mmCIF file with all atom_site columns, all heavy atoms in Angstrom:
data_model
loop_
_atom_site.group_PDB
_atom_site.id
_atom_site.type_symbol
_atom_site.label_atom_id
_atom_site.label_alt_id
_atom_site.label_comp_id
_atom_site.label_asym_id
_atom_site.label_entity_id
_atom_site.label_seq_id
_atom_site.pdbx_PDB_ins_code
_atom_site.Cartn_x
_atom_site.Cartn_y
_atom_site.Cartn_z
_atom_site.occupancy
_atom_site.B_iso_or_equiv
_atom_site.pdbx_formal_charge
_atom_site.auth_seq_id
_atom_site.auth_comp_id
_atom_site.auth_asym_id
_atom_site.auth_atom_id
_atom_site.pdbx_PDB_model_num
ATOM 1   N N   . GLY A 1 1  ? 58.120 12.335 -41.269 1.00 0.00 ? 9  GLY A N   1
ATOM 2   C CA  . GLY A 1 1  ? 59.361 12.742 -41.892 1.00 0.00 ? 9  GLY A CA  1
ATOM 3   C C   . GLY A 1 1  ? 59.209 13.741 -43.020 1.00 0.00 ? 9  GLY A C   1
ATOM 4   O O   . GLY A 1 1  ? 60.183 14.319 -43.476 1.00 0.00 ? 9  GLY A O   1
ATOM 5   N N   . GLN A 1 2  ? 57.998 13.936 -43.498 1.00 0.00 ? 10 GLN A N   1
ATOM 6   C CA  . GLN A 1 2  ? 57.791 14.897 -44.577 1.00 0.00 ? 10 GLN A CA  1
ATOM 7   C C   . GLN A 1 2  ? 57.896 16.309 -44.036 1.00 0.00 ? 10 GLN A C   1
ATOM 8   O O   . GLN A 1 2  ? 57.447 16.599 -42.935 1.00 0.00 ? 10 GLN A O   1
ATOM 9   C CB  . GLN A 1 2  ? 56.416 14.701 -45.203 1.00 0.00 ? 10 GLN A CB  1
ATOM 10  C CG  . GLN A 1 2  ? 56.103 15.719 -46.271 1.00 0.00 ? 10 GLN A CG  1
ATOM 11  C CD  . GLN A 1 2  ? 54.631 15.758 -46.647 1.00 0.00 ? 10 GLN A CD  1
ATOM 12  O OE1 . GLN A 1 2  ? 53.805 15.252 -45.916 1.00 0.00 ? 10 GLN A OE1 1
ATOM 13  N NE2 . GLN A 1 2  ? 54.326 16.361 -47.768 1.00 0.00 ? 10 GLN A NE2 1
ATOM 14  N N   . THR A 1 3  ? 58.510 17.192 -44.818 1.00 0.00 ? 11 THR A N   1
ATOM 15  C CA  . THR A 1 3  ? 58.525 18.599 -44.450 1.00 0.00 ? 11 THR A CA  1
ATOM 16  C C   . THR A 1 3  ? 57.092 19.104 -44.532 1.00 0.00 ? 11 THR A C   1
ATOM 17  O O   . THR A 1 3  ? 56.439 18.948 -45.559 1.00 0.00 ? 11 THR A O   1
ATOM 18  C CB  . THR A 1 3  ? 59.422 19.406 -45.404 1.00 0.00 ? 11 THR A CB  1
ATOM 19  O OG1 . THR A 1 3  ? 60.732 18.875 -45.350 1.00 0.00 ? 11 THR A OG1 1
ATOM 20  C CG2 . THR A 1 3  ? 59.436 20.873 -45.030 1.00 0.00 ? 11 THR A CG2 1
ATOM 21  N N   . PRO A 1 4  ? 56.572 19.669 -43.454 1.00 0.00 ? 12 PRO A N   1
ATOM 22  C CA  . PRO A 1 4  ? 55.157 20.069 -43.452 1.00 0.00 ? 12 PRO A CA  1
ATOM 23  C C   . PRO A 1 4  ? 54.882 21.268 -44.357 1.00 0.00 ? 12 PRO A C   1
ATOM 24  O O   . PRO A 1 4  ? 55.754 22.094 -44.599 1.00 0.00 ? 12 PRO A O   1
ATOM 25  C CB  . PRO A 1 4  ? 54.888 20.420 -41.992 1.00 0.00 ? 12 PRO A CB  1
ATOM 26  C CG  . PRO A 1 4  ? 56.216 20.773 -41.431 1.00 0.00 ? 12 PRO A CG  1
ATOM 27  C CD  . PRO A 1 4  ? 57.228 19.970 -42.188 1.00 0.00 ? 12 PRO A CD  1
ATOM 28  N N   . ASP A 1 5  ? 53.651 21.319 -44.850 1.00 0.00 ? 13 ASP A N   1
ATOM 29  C CA  . ASP A 1 5  ? 53.165 22.507 -45.539 1.00 0.00 ? 13 ASP A CA  1
ATOM 30  C C   . ASP A 1 5  ? 52.660 23.463 -44.467 1.00 0.00 ? 13 ASP A C   1
ATOM 31  O O   . ASP A 1 5  ? 51.985 23.039 -43.523 1.00 0.00 ? 13 ASP A O   1
ATOM 32  C CB  . ASP A 1 5  ? 52.026 22.154 -46.492 1.00 0.00 ? 13 ASP A CB  1
ATOM 33  C CG  . ASP A 1 5  ? 52.494 21.346 -47.689 1.00 0.00 ? 13 ASP A CG  1
ATOM 34  O OD1 . ASP A 1 5  ? 53.691 21.444 -48.051 1.00 0.00 ? 13 ASP A OD1 1
ATOM 35  O OD2 . ASP A 1 5  ? 51.661 20.631 -48.277 1.00 0.00 ? 13 ASP A OD2 1
ATOM 36  N N   . LEU A 1 6  ? 52.991 24.731 -44.613 1.00 0.00 ? 14 LEU A N   1
ATOM 37  C CA  . LEU A 1 6  ? 52.598 25.735 -43.627 1.00 0.00 ? 14 LEU A CA  1
ATOM 38  C C   . LEU A 1 6  ? 51.593 26.706 -44.242 1.00 0.00 ? 14 LEU A C   1
ATOM 39  O O   . LEU A 1 6  ? 51.766 27.145 -45.376 1.00 0.00 ? 14 LEU A O   1
ATOM 40  C CB  . LEU A 1 6  ? 53.806 26.519 -43.132 1.00 0.00 ? 14 LEU A CB  1
ATOM 41  C CG  . LEU A 1 6  ? 54.897 25.700 -42.454 1.00 0.00 ? 14 LEU A CG  1
ATOM 42  C CD1 . LEU A 1 6  ? 56.090 26.587 -42.129 1.00 0.00 ? 14 LEU A CD1 1
ATOM 43  C CD2 . LEU A 1 6  ? 54.361 25.042 -41.194 1.00 0.00 ? 14 LEU A CD2 1
ATOM 44  N N   . TYR A 1 7  ? 50.568 27.007 -43.472 1.00 0.00 ? 15 TYR A N   1
ATOM 45  C CA  . TYR A 1 7  ? 49.551 27.974 -43.866 1.00 0.00 ? 15 TYR A CA  1
ATOM 46  C C   . TYR A 1 7  ? 49.398 28.968 -42.730 1.00 0.00 ? 15 TYR A C   1
ATOM 47  O O   . TYR A 1 7  ? 49.335 28.571 -41.570 1.00 0.00 ? 15 TYR A O   1
ATOM 48  C CB  . TYR A 1 7  ? 48.204 27.291 -44.102 1.00 0.00 ? 15 TYR A CB  1
ATOM 49  C CG  . TYR A 1 7  ? 48.227 26.267 -45.214 1.00 0.00 ? 15 TYR A CG  1
ATOM 50  C CD1 . TYR A 1 7  ? 48.526 24.942 -44.952 1.00 0.00 ? 15 TYR A CD1 1
ATOM 51  C CD2 . TYR A 1 7  ? 47.951 26.634 -46.522 1.00 0.00 ? 15 TYR A CD2 1
ATOM 52  C CE1 . TYR A 1 7  ? 48.559 23.996 -45.968 1.00 0.00 ? 15 TYR A CE1 1
ATOM 53  C CE2 . TYR A 1 7  ? 47.972 25.701 -47.542 1.00 0.00 ? 15 TYR A CE2 1
ATOM 54  C CZ  . TYR A 1 7  ? 48.276 24.392 -47.253 1.00 0.00 ? 15 TYR A CZ  1
ATOM 55  O OH  . TYR A 1 7  ? 48.301 23.467 -48.269 1.00 0.00 ? 15 TYR A OH  1
ATOM 56  N N   . THR A 1 8  ? 49.338 30.240 -43.046 1.00 0.00 ? 16 THR A N   1
ATOM 57  C CA  . THR A 1 8  ? 49.112 31.273 -42.051 1.00 0.00 ? 16 THR A CA  1
ATOM 58  C C   . THR A 1 8  ? 47.879 32.058 -42.465 1.00 0.00 ? 16 THR A C   1
ATOM 59  O O   . THR A 1 8  ? 47.767 32.465 -43.622 1.00 0.00 ? 16 THR A O   1
ATOM 60  C CB  . THR A 1 8  ? 50.328 32.209 -41.934 1.00 0.00 ? 16 THR A CB  1
ATOM 61  O OG1 . THR A 1 8  ? 51.471 31.424 -41.606 1.00 0.00 ? 16 THR A OG1 1
ATOM 62  C CG2 . THR A 1 8  ? 50.107 33.249 -40.851 1.00 0.00 ? 16 THR A CG2 1
ATOM 63  N N   . PHE A 1 9  ? 46.967 32.228 -41.528 1.00 0.00 ? 17 PHE A N   1
ATOM 64  C CA  . PHE A 1 9  ? 45.751 32.976 -41.836 1.00 0.00 ? 17 PHE A CA  1
ATOM 65  C C   . PHE A 1 9  ? 45.281 33.728 -40.609 1.00 0.00 ? 17 PHE A C   1
ATOM 66  O O   . PHE A 1 9  ? 45.652 33.411 -39.488 1.00 0.00 ? 17 PHE A O   1
ATOM 67  C CB  . PHE A 1 9  ? 44.643 32.065 -42.368 1.00 0.00 ? 17 PHE A CB  1
ATOM 68  C CG  . PHE A 1 9  ? 44.401 30.826 -41.557 1.00 0.00 ? 17 PHE A CG  1
ATOM 69  C CD1 . PHE A 1 9  ? 43.555 30.845 -40.471 1.00 0.00 ? 17 PHE A CD1 1
ATOM 70  C CD2 . PHE A 1 9  ? 45.025 29.641 -41.893 1.00 0.00 ? 17 PHE A CD2 1
ATOM 71  C CE1 . PHE A 1 9  ? 43.337 29.703 -39.718 1.00 0.00 ? 17 PHE A CE1 1
ATOM 72  C CE2 . PHE A 1 9  ? 44.809 28.488 -41.151 1.00 0.00 ? 17 PHE A CE2 1
ATOM 73  C CZ  . PHE A 1 9  ? 43.959 28.518 -40.065 1.00 0.00 ? 17 PHE A CZ  1
ATOM 74  N N   . THR A 1 10 ? 44.484 34.745 -40.861 1.00 0.00 ? 18 THR A N   1
ATOM 75  C CA  . THR A 1 10 ? 43.933 35.541 -39.773 1.00 0.00 ? 18 THR A CA  1
ATOM 76  C C   . THR A 1 10 ? 42.520 35.057 -39.457 1.00 0.00 ? 18 THR A C   1
ATOM 77  O O   . THR A 1 10 ? 41.864 34.429 -40.290 1.00 0.00 ? 18 THR A O   1
ATOM 78  C CB  . THR A 1 10 ? 43.878 37.033 -40.146 1.00 0.00 ? 18 THR A CB  1
ATOM 79  O OG1 . THR A 1 10 ? 43.092 37.178 -41.323 1.00 0.00 ? 18 THR A OG1 1
ATOM 80  C CG2 . THR A 1 10 ? 45.260 37.590 -40.367 1.00 0.00 ? 18 THR A CG2 1
ATOM 81  N N   . LEU A 1 11 ? 42.089 35.359 -38.287 1.00 0.00 ? 19 LEU A N   1
ATOM 82  C CA  . LEU A 1 11 ? 40.734 35.022 -37.872 1.00 0.00 ? 19 LEU A CA  1
ATOM 83  C C   . LEU A 1 11 ? 39.755 35.680 -38.837 1.00 0.00 ? 19 LEU A C   1
ATOM 84  O O   . LEU A 1 11 ? 39.885 36.845 -39.169 1.00 0.00 ? 19 LEU A O   1
ATOM 85  C CB  . LEU A 1 11 ? 40.486 35.515 -36.447 1.00 0.00 ? 19 LEU A CB  1
ATOM 86  C CG  . LEU A 1 11 ? 39.134 35.190 -35.847 1.00 0.00 ? 19 LEU A CG  1
ATOM 87  C CD1 . LEU A 1 11 ? 38.948 33.678 -35.742 1.00 0.00 ? 19 LEU A CD1 1
ATOM 88  C CD2 . LEU A 1 11 ? 39.001 35.825 -34.478 1.00 0.00 ? 19 LEU A CD2 1
ATOM 89  N N   . GLY A 1 12 ? 38.815 34.932 -39.329 1.00 0.00 ? 20 GLY A N   1
ATOM 90  C CA  . GLY A 1 12 ? 37.838 35.451 -40.274 1.00 0.00 ? 20 GLY A CA  1
ATOM 91  C C   . GLY A 1 12 ? 38.216 35.217 -41.726 1.00 0.00 ? 20 GLY A C   1
ATOM 92  O O   . GLY A 1 12 ? 37.400 35.436 -42.618 1.00 0.00 ? 20 GLY A O   1
ATOM 93  N N   . SER A 1 13 ? 39.452 34.774 -41.977 1.00 0.00 ? 21 SER A N   1
ATOM 94  C CA  . SER A 1 13 ? 39.853 34.533 -43.368 1.00 0.00 ? 21 SER A CA  1
ATOM 95  C C   . SER A 1 13 ? 39.944 33.043 -43.679 1.00 0.00 ? 21 SER A C   1
ATOM 96  O O   . SER A 1 13 ? 40.559 32.648 -44.654 1.00 0.00 ? 21 SER A O   1
ATOM 97  C CB  . SER A 1 13 ? 41.194 35.207 -43.666 1.00 0.00 ? 21 SER A CB  1
ATOM 98  O OG  . SER A 1 13 ? 42.236 34.563 -42.971 1.00 0.00 ? 21 SER A OG  1
ATOM 99  N N   . VAL A 1 14 ? 39.317 32.230 -42.837 1.00 0.00 ? 22 VAL A N   1
ATOM 100 C CA  . VAL A 1 14 ? 39.321 30.789 -43.062 1.00 0.00 ? 22 VAL A CA  1
ATOM 101 C C   . VAL A 1 14 ? 37.900 30.257 -42.895 1.00 0.00 ? 22 VAL A C   1
ATOM 102 O O   . VAL A 1 14 ? 37.155 30.712 -42.023 1.00 0.00 ? 22 VAL A O   1
ATOM 103 C CB  . VAL A 1 14 ? 40.300 30.064 -42.107 1.00 0.00 ? 22 VAL A CB  1
ATOM 104 C CG1 . VAL A 1 14 ? 39.890 30.210 -40.658 1.00 0.00 ? 22 VAL A CG1 1
ATOM 105 C CG2 . VAL A 1 14 ? 40.449 28.599 -42.470 1.00 0.00 ? 22 VAL A CG2 1
ATOM 106 N N   . THR A 1 15 ? 37.537 29.350 -43.773 1.00 0.00 ? 23 THR A N   1
ATOM 107 C CA  . THR A 1 15 ? 36.262 28.646 -43.667 1.00 0.00 ? 23 THR A CA  1
ATOM 108 C C   . THR A 1 15 ? 36.580 27.175 -43.470 1.00 0.00 ? 23 THR A C   1
ATOM 109 O O   . THR A 1 15 ? 37.408 26.611 -44.197 1.00 0.00 ? 23 THR A O   1
ATOM 110 C CB  . THR A 1 15 ? 35.416 28.839 -44.944 1.00 0.00 ? 23 THR A CB  1
ATOM 111 O OG1 . THR A 1 15 ? 35.168 30.234 -45.116 1.00 0.00 ? 23 THR A OG1 1
ATOM 112 C CG2 . THR A 1 15 ? 34.094 28.090 -44.852 1.00 0.00 ? 23 THR A CG2 1
ATOM 113 N N   . ILE A 1 16 ? 35.950 26.578 -42.480 1.00 0.00 ? 24 ILE A N   1
ATOM 114 C CA  . ILE A 1 16 ? 36.152 25.159 -42.203 1.00 0.00 ? 24 ILE A CA  1
ATOM 115 C C   . ILE A 1 16 ? 34.815 24.482 -42.412 1.00 0.00 ? 24 ILE A C   1
ATOM 116 O O   . ILE A 1 16 ? 33.859 24.758 -41.689 1.00 0.00 ? 24 ILE A O   1
ATOM 117 C CB  . ILE A 1 16 ? 36.711 24.939 -40.789 1.00 0.00 ? 24 ILE A CB  1
ATOM 118 C CG1 . ILE A 1 16 ? 38.042 25.674 -40.653 1.00 0.00 ? 24 ILE A CG1 1
ATOM 119 C CG2 . ILE A 1 16 ? 36.875 23.449 -40.507 1.00 0.00 ? 24 ILE A CG2 1
ATOM 120 C CD1 . ILE A 1 16 ? 38.650 25.659 -39.291 1.00 0.00 ? 24 ILE A CD1 1
ATOM 121 N N   . GLY A 1 17 ? 34.768 23.613 -43.428 1.00 0.00 ? 25 GLY A N   1
ATOM 122 C CA  . GLY A 1 17 ? 33.484 23.060 -43.840 1.00 0.00 ? 25 GLY A CA  1
ATOM 123 C C   . GLY A 1 17 ? 32.653 24.201 -44.407 1.00 0.00 ? 25 GLY A C   1
ATOM 124 O O   . GLY A 1 17 ? 33.023 24.813 -45.392 1.00 0.00 ? 25 GLY A O   1
ATOM 125 N N   . THR A 1 18 ? 31.560 24.502 -43.745 1.00 0.00 ? 26 THR A N   1
ATOM 126 C CA  . THR A 1 18 ? 30.722 25.633 -44.176 1.00 0.00 ? 26 THR A CA  1
ATOM 127 C C   . THR A 1 18 ? 30.711 26.756 -43.142 1.00 0.00 ? 26 THR A C   1
ATOM 128 O O   . THR A 1 18 ? 29.938 27.699 -43.268 1.00 0.00 ? 26 THR A O   1
ATOM 129 C CB  . THR A 1 18 ? 29.276 25.162 -44.432 1.00 0.00 ? 26 THR A CB  1
ATOM 130 O OG1 . THR A 1 18 ? 28.765 24.571 -43.230 1.00 0.00 ? 26 THR A OG1 1
ATOM 131 C CG2 . THR A 1 18 ? 29.223 24.154 -45.566 1.00 0.00 ? 26 THR A CG2 1
ATOM 132 N N   . SER A 1 19 ? 31.576 26.653 -42.130 1.00 0.00 ? 27 SER A N   1
ATOM 133 C CA  . SER A 1 19 ? 31.589 27.639 -41.043 1.00 0.00 ? 27 SER A CA  1
ATOM 134 C C   . SER A 1 19 ? 32.797 28.558 -41.132 1.00 0.00 ? 27 SER A C   1
ATOM 135 O O   . SER A 1 19 ? 33.918 28.099 -41.366 1.00 0.00 ? 27 SER A O   1
ATOM 136 C CB  . SER A 1 19 ? 31.629 26.927 -39.681 1.00 0.00 ? 27 SER A CB  1
ATOM 137 O OG  . SER A 1 19 ? 30.509 26.110 -39.527 1.00 0.00 ? 27 SER A OG  1
ATOM 138 N N   . THR A 1 20 ? 32.557 29.842 -40.935 1.00 0.00 ? 28 THR A N   1
ATOM 139 C CA  . THR A 1 20 ? 33.634 30.817 -40.818 1.00 0.00 ? 28 THR A CA  1
ATOM 140 C C   . THR A 1 20 ? 33.642 31.309 -39.375 1.00 0.00 ? 28 THR A C   1
ATOM 141 O O   . THR A 1 20 ? 32.770 32.084 -38.981 1.00 0.00 ? 28 THR A O   1
ATOM 142 C CB  . THR A 1 20 ? 33.423 31.999 -41.789 1.00 0.00 ? 28 THR A CB  1
ATOM 143 O OG1 . THR A 1 20 ? 33.344 31.497 -43.115 1.00 0.00 ? 28 THR A OG1 1
ATOM 144 C CG2 . THR A 1 20 ? 34.566 32.994 -41.690 1.00 0.00 ? 28 THR A CG2 1
ATOM 145 N N   . PRO A 1 21 ? 34.587 30.819 -38.583 1.00 0.00 ? 29 PRO A N   1
ATOM 146 C CA  . PRO A 1 21 ? 34.591 31.173 -37.164 1.00 0.00 ? 29 PRO A CA  1
ATOM 147 C C   . PRO A 1 21 ? 34.875 32.657 -36.950 1.00 0.00 ? 29 PRO A C   1
ATOM 148 O O   . PRO A 1 21 ? 35.662 33.258 -37.683 1.00 0.00 ? 29 PRO A O   1
ATOM 149 C CB  . PRO A 1 21 ? 35.714 30.308 -36.587 1.00 0.00 ? 29 PRO A CB  1
ATOM 150 C CG  . PRO A 1 21 ? 36.574 29.966 -37.745 1.00 0.00 ? 29 PRO A CG  1
ATOM 151 C CD  . PRO A 1 21 ? 35.706 29.960 -38.952 1.00 0.00 ? 29 PRO A CD  1
ATOM 152 N N   . SER A 1 22 ? 34.237 33.214 -35.939 1.00 0.00 ? 30 SER A N   1
ATOM 153 C CA  . SER A 1 22 ? 34.430 34.634 -35.637 1.00 0.00 ? 30 SER A CA  1
ATOM 154 C C   . SER A 1 22 ? 35.202 34.844 -34.339 1.00 0.00 ? 30 SER A C   1
ATOM 155 O O   . SER A 1 22 ? 35.527 35.973 -34.001 1.00 0.00 ? 30 SER A O   1
ATOM 156 C CB  . SER A 1 22 ? 33.082 35.349 -35.559 1.00 0.00 ? 30 SER A CB  1
ATOM 157 O OG  . SER A 1 22 ? 32.276 34.754 -34.564 1.00 0.00 ? 30 SER A OG  1
ATOM 158 N N   . THR A 1 23 ? 35.491 33.758 -33.625 1.00 0.00 ? 31 THR A N   1
ATOM 159 C CA  . THR A 1 23 ? 36.294 33.848 -32.406 1.00 0.00 ? 31 THR A CA  1
ATOM 160 C C   . THR A 1 23 ? 37.379 32.774 -32.461 1.00 0.00 ? 31 THR A C   1
ATOM 161 O O   . THR A 1 23 ? 37.231 31.751 -33.139 1.00 0.00 ? 31 THR A O   1
ATOM 162 C CB  . THR A 1 23 ? 35.453 33.621 -31.137 1.00 0.00 ? 31 THR A CB  1
ATOM 163 O OG1 . THR A 1 23 ? 34.971 32.272 -31.141 1.00 0.00 ? 31 THR A OG1 1
ATOM 164 C CG2 . THR A 1 23 ? 34.289 34.598 -31.051 1.00 0.00 ? 31 THR A CG2 1
ATOM 165 N N   . ILE A 1 24 ? 38.454 33.017 -31.746 1.00 0.00 ? 32 ILE A N   1
ATOM 166 C CA  . ILE A 1 24 ? 39.534 32.019 -31.683 1.00 0.00 ? 32 ILE A CA  1
ATOM 167 C C   . ILE A 1 24 ? 39.018 30.729 -31.078 1.00 0.00 ? 32 ILE A C   1
ATOM 168 O O   . ILE A 1 24 ? 39.368 29.633 -31.505 1.00 0.00 ? 32 ILE A O   1
ATOM 169 C CB  . ILE A 1 24 ? 40.738 32.574 -30.884 1.00 0.00 ? 32 ILE A CB  1
ATOM 170 C CG1 . ILE A 1 24 ? 41.488 33.595 -31.728 1.00 0.00 ? 32 ILE A CG1 1
ATOM 171 C CG2 . ILE A 1 24 ? 41.667 31.469 -30.440 1.00 0.00 ? 32 ILE A CG2 1
ATOM 172 C CD1 . ILE A 1 24 ? 42.192 33.037 -32.961 1.00 0.00 ? 32 ILE A CD1 1
ATOM 173 N N   . SER A 1 25 ? 38.154 30.847 -30.102 1.00 0.00 ? 33 SER A N   1
ATOM 174 C CA  . SER A 1 25 ? 37.583 29.669 -29.453 1.00 0.00 ? 33 SER A CA  1
ATOM 175 C C   . SER A 1 25 ? 36.839 28.787 -30.460 1.00 0.00 ? 33 SER A C   1
ATOM 176 O O   . SER A 1 25 ? 37.035 27.565 -30.498 1.00 0.00 ? 33 SER A O   1
ATOM 177 C CB  . SER A 1 25 ? 36.657 30.137 -28.336 1.00 0.00 ? 33 SER A CB  1
ATOM 178 O OG  . SER A 1 25 ? 36.212 29.088 -27.581 1.00 0.00 ? 33 SER A OG  1
ATOM 179 N N   . SER A 1 26 ? 35.998 29.389 -31.294 1.00 0.00 ? 34 SER A N   1
ATOM 180 C CA  . SER A 1 26 ? 35.260 28.594 -32.283 1.00 0.00 ? 34 SER A CA  1
ATOM 181 C C   . SER A 1 26 ? 36.197 28.064 -33.365 1.00 0.00 ? 34 SER A C   1
ATOM 182 O O   . SER A 1 26 ? 36.002 26.961 -33.880 1.00 0.00 ? 34 SER A O   1
ATOM 183 C CB  . SER A 1 26 ? 34.110 29.398 -32.893 1.00 0.00 ? 34 SER A CB  1
ATOM 184 O OG  . SER A 1 26 ? 34.569 30.544 -33.549 1.00 0.00 ? 34 SER A OG  1
ATOM 185 N N   . LEU A 1 27 ? 37.242 28.813 -33.696 1.00 0.00 ? 35 LEU A N   1
ATOM 186 C CA  . LEU A 1 27 ? 38.232 28.338 -34.656 1.00 0.00 ? 35 LEU A CA  1
ATOM 187 C C   . LEU A 1 27 ? 38.934 27.088 -34.132 1.00 0.00 ? 35 LEU A C   1
ATOM 188 O O   . LEU A 1 27 ? 39.110 26.111 -34.863 1.00 0.00 ? 35 LEU A O   1
ATOM 189 C CB  . LEU A 1 27 ? 39.248 29.430 -34.963 1.00 0.00 ? 35 LEU A CB  1
ATOM 190 C CG  . LEU A 1 27 ? 40.410 29.045 -35.865 1.00 0.00 ? 35 LEU A CG  1
ATOM 191 C CD1 . LEU A 1 27 ? 39.917 28.607 -37.233 1.00 0.00 ? 35 LEU A CD1 1
ATOM 192 C CD2 . LEU A 1 27 ? 41.397 30.185 -35.991 1.00 0.00 ? 35 LEU A CD2 1
#
């Protein structure tokens, strides 16, 4: 029921853990 927080980012501008994915598949 909470209104979600939205984030928009481009490929290469996000790090997940210690990885910065370079393909959509790895993202």
Side-chain angles (χ1 to χ4, degrees):
Q10 176 195 17
T11 301
D13 290 335
L14 300 175
Y15 298 90
T16 302
F17 48 86
T18 58
L19 182 62
S21 69
V22 64
T23 300
I24 301 175
T26 58
S27 300
T28 302
S30 59
T31 65
I32 285 293
S33 187
S34 60
L35 175 61

